[in-house]
Amino acid sequence: NGRIAEESSGSAPVTEKMESDPQNQFIGVDVMHKAGYKGQGVLVAVFDSGFDKVNVSPFFSHVFSNDKIKGTRDFIRGTGNVFQYDSHGSKVLSCIAAYQEGAFSGTAPEVGLVLCVTEDIGSEYTVEEYNWLFAAEYADSIGVDIINSSVGYSYFDDEKMSYSYEDLSGKTTIITRAAVMAARKGMLVVSSNGNEGNNSWKYLNAPADADSILSVGAVNYDKTRSNFSSFGPTSDSRLKPDLSALGSWVKVIHDNNILFANGTSFSAPLSAGLAAGFWQAFPDMTNTEVIQYLKMSSHQATRPDTLIGYGVPNFTIAFNKARVNEGDLTDKFVVFPNPVTHKRIVYIYSIPELIY
């Protein structure tokens, strides 16, 4: 239920040079790309319902020609053919990895990819949480850095399996416990917060309640909450979502078509690609450090709330904060003259290279 894209309020942006420019510029990805960070060397796993026509779409041809797909697995049917079933995963993947010169770019088009089908579109049962768990174990075994999860669960076809809000404590649901374990293994889990804001449930879905992961809400271009975006906090009063990205009027790819889509299903992968580029720039960081810098870069970092979290992140701010903070004092100061003469010492501050 959490993966379904919803209609939202707001108006579409004016198209610029590339169809994806507005949503990328919204979080500073245009600057990230100009600085040379497109996710090279970062391995991203996408857990979803299917990746229909990705293998024949010209927007993904670079993925195959450059041997970027490092693994595929269908955990529902036990095969490796994930390029079928549903287009939801194709659209989610496009936010990260699609590319066609002059037309479209995902937020991290040079990442390595692991594509896993964990969501069965024909039904909703707890077994899909176990599929997610198995996929996370698989991802860990092959060295995945980032997991993007645009699926979420709160209620099931069998009502006896459904969760209550009290269950969203970060410690109860199967998928949330799996996400926490993945985070403790060092992977950065990026989860959509859910599209329940307009219905009776209204709260986030599992695994967005997990600790130490990046749960992403959806906003309009004016940075107000998209009306469908799920609310926090968790039932144990932790702030969620962690941050938000564009979830209304997002440009996505299916087959040879550029389409509009709405949902936290798409704000999450936009953020996952941002995280991939940022992590490429600072490869010695831990997953929790990446999360912290993205939070610190967000537009309401000093006044987070349970509607959109810390707000909309920005690569330039995150990059500059990290550059200023990296290293120790010996890297940042020069003593002059050396050796000291006439008991006079001059300290010269070495300014780190920043992006403007």
Side-chain angles (χ1 to χ4, degrees), residues 146 337 351:
I146 298 173
I351 300 174

Side-chain angles (χ1 to χ4, degrees), residues 139-216:
D140 182 41
S141 73
I142 58 177
V144 162
D145 301 298
I146 298 173
I147 294 172
N148 183 84
S149 175
S150 290
V151 298
Y153 303 96
S154 53
Y155 43 87
F156 298 93
D157 292 348
D158 183 346
E159 292 184 1
K160 292 190 296 294
M161 296 180 177
S162 295
Y163 296 119
S164 66
Y165 175 63
E166 287 67 31
D167 292 323
L168 297 181
S169 62
K171 301 175 182 178
T172 303
T173 73
I174 298 157
I175 192 171
T176 296
R177 290 156 63 192
V180 170
M181 186 177 296
R184 289 176 178 170
K185 293 287 187 178
M187 289 181 280
L188 172 55
V189 179
V190 182
S191 172
S192 56
N193 209 52
N195 301 329
E196 313 291 346
N198 273 339
N199 63 31
S200 58
W201 173 264
K202 85 176 181 178
Y203 291 111
L204 71 172
N205 290 321
D209 61 315
D211 191 14
S212 303
I213 75 165
L214 199 60
S215 303
V216 185

Side-chain angles (χ1 to χ4, degrees), residues 30-208:
D30 56 326
V31 176
M32 185 175 86
H33 288 180
K34 288 175 183 176
Y37 304 115
K38 299 181 179 180
Q40 181 72 27
V42 179
L43 188 57
V44 177
V46 180
F47 298 173
D48 219 283
S49 56
F51 304 90
D52 180 56
K53 293 186 168 46
V54 163
N55 56 329
V56 296
S57 169
F59 288 91
F60 293 101
S61 60
H62 67 288
V63 168
F64 295 91
S65 62
N66 295 321
D67 193 28
K68 291 294 186 180
I69 295 184
K70 306 303 180 182
T72 62
R73 189 165 294 186
D74 175 2
F75 286 89
I76 298 171
R77 299 158 190 86
T79 74
N81 183 8
V82 299
F83 304 114
Q84 53 183 327
Y85 309 129
D86 191 33
S87 65
H88 185 267
S90 311
K91 296 169 184 174
V92 167
L93 179 62
S94 72
C95 293
I96 302 171
Y99 183 79
Q100 190 173 93
E101 187 173 357
F104 192 96
S105 177
T107 49
E110 295 183 4
V111 293
L113 293 168
V114 176
L115 306 180
C116 298
V117 175
T118 63
E119 162 78 18
D120 187 345
I121 60 172
S123 61
E124 202 83 310
Y125 290 104
T126 307
V127 66
E128 293 168 39
E129 296 187 77
Y130 286 101
N131 293 338
W132 200 103
L133 166 61
F134 300 146
E137 290 178 334
Y138 170 59
D140 182 41
S141 73
I142 58 177
V144 162
D145 301 298
I146 298 173
I147 294 172
N148 183 84
S149 175
S150 290
V151 298
Y153 303 96
S154 53
Y155 43 87
F156 298 93
D157 292 348
D158 183 346
E159 292 184 1
K160 292 190 296 294
M161 296 180 177
S162 295
Y163 296 119
S164 66
Y165 175 63
E166 287 67 31
D167 292 323
L168 297 181
S169 62
K171 301 175 182 178
T172 303
T173 73
I174 298 157
I175 192 171
T176 296
R177 290 156 63 192
V180 170
M181 186 177 296
R184 289 176 178 170
K185 293 287 187 178
M187 289 181 280
L188 172 55
V189 179
V190 182
S191 172
S192 56
N193 209 52
N195 301 329
E196 313 291 346
N198 273 339
N199 63 31
S200 58
W201 173 264
K202 85 176 181 178
Y203 291 111
L204 71 172
N205 290 321

